[in-house]
Amino acid sequence: MEKSNWSSINQLKAEFPSASILPENRVIFNIKGNNYRLIVKFNFEYVLCWIQFIGTHAEYDKVDAKTI
């Protein structure tokens, strides 16, 4: 995020086409060879992001990605 200059979710998606977009600017990334999932909430206006969740796919299946 520090080195990015995304001003919208569409710009982020263009750089990470496999990312899944959720409501409220939340994005799910598959990381480490698709062994883990990362949920991040973005605020493009203030160029901020918050890690909402990081864990295995099994751990991810136990959370609600839209509310975590």
Side-chain angles (χ1 to χ4, degrees), residues 1 10 16 20-21 25 27 31-32 45 52-53 55 62 68:
M1 183 74 179
N10 293 331
F16 295 98
S20 299
I21 308 301
N25 289 330
V27 180
I31 57 175
K32 195 175 180 287
E45 182 180 353
Q52 303 296 103
F53 172 84
K62 297 177 184 175
I68 193 166

Side-chain angles (χ1 to χ4, degrees), residues 43-61:
N43 181 314
F44 294 100
E45 182 180 353
Y46 293 104
V47 192
L48 297 171
C49 68
W50 298 271
I51 295 174
Q52 303 296 103
F53 172 84
I54 187 167
T56 65
H57 282 267
E59 293 168 330
Y60 170 82
D61 290 339

Side-chain angles (χ1 to χ4, degrees), residues 1-50:
M1 183 74 179
E2 287 180 4
K3 296 178 183 179
S4 71
N5 59 356
W6 308 312
S7 60
S8 71
I9 202 85
N10 293 331
Q11 289 179 344
L12 182 147
K13 183 70 173 169
E15 191 167 336
F16 295 98
S18 65
S20 299
I21 308 301
L22 298 176
E24 298 183 23
N25 289 330
R26 291 174 189 256
V27 180
I28 301 172
F29 298 95
N30 289 311
I31 57 175
K32 195 175 180 287
N34 205 20
N35 291 317
Y36 292 89
R37 290 218 173 151
L38 170 67
I39 302 173
V40 181
K41 184 172 183 176
F42 290 91
N43 181 314
F44 294 100
E45 182 180 353
Y46 293 104
V47 192
L48 297 171
C49 68
W50 298 271

